[in-house]
Amino acid sequence: MNKIDIEIVAQKGAVIPEYKTSGSSGADVHAFLSEPVVLKKGEVKLIPTGLCCSISEGYEIQVRPRSGLAGKNGITFLNAPG
């Protein structure tokens, strides 16, 4: 596996993504909210992360929905992967 540098600028209180287990293919990204968000059926909202990232040319960062949230609650991304 190639290692690349990812520069992350985080707002105060934002959570830096990290791999939770050995062999994980992705890192968990957390919502950056000042108050809880409630979605009504069919409602669309933008959820901030509080992060700005910069990576090496030729690479990309993908944000993907968690399968449990999508399957059990219908929560996903409009442009998945984003």
Side-chain angles (χ1 to χ4, degrees), residues 37-46 73-76 78:
V37 170
V38 176
L39 294 171
K40 297 176 184 161
K41 185 175 182 175
E43 187 175 15
V44 175
K45 287 192 177 182
L46 297 176
N73 302 300
I75 298 174
T76 191
L78 293 175

Side-chain angles (χ1 to χ4, degrees), residues 8-16 32-34 48-52:
I8 300 176
V9 177
Q11 293 182 28
K12 185 177 181 181
V15 178
I16 302 293
F32 181 66
L33 302 170
S34 58
T49 63
L51 305 173
C52 292

Side-chain angles (χ1 to χ4, degrees), residues 45-81:
K45 287 192 177 182
L46 297 176
I47 306 297
T49 63
L51 305 173
C52 292
C53 302
S54 176
I55 60 172
S56 300
E57 186 174 330
Y59 290 88
E60 66 179 11
I61 294 174
Q62 292 190 5
V63 181
R64 296 174 177 259
R66 293 193 57 142
S67 58
L69 281 175
K72 295 175 186 171
N73 302 300
I75 298 174
T76 191
F77 300 144
L78 293 175
N79 62 333

Side-chain angles (χ1 to χ4, degrees), residues 2-6 55-56 59-60:
N2 295 337
K3 291 195 176 200
I4 64 165
D5 290 327
I6 301 174
I55 60 172
S56 300
Y59 290 88
E60 66 179 11

Side-chain angles (χ1 to χ4, degrees), residues 12-26:
K12 185 177 181 181
V15 178
I16 302 293
E18 64 179 330
Y19 294 95
K20 297 294 185 180
T21 59
S22 162
S24 292
S25 63

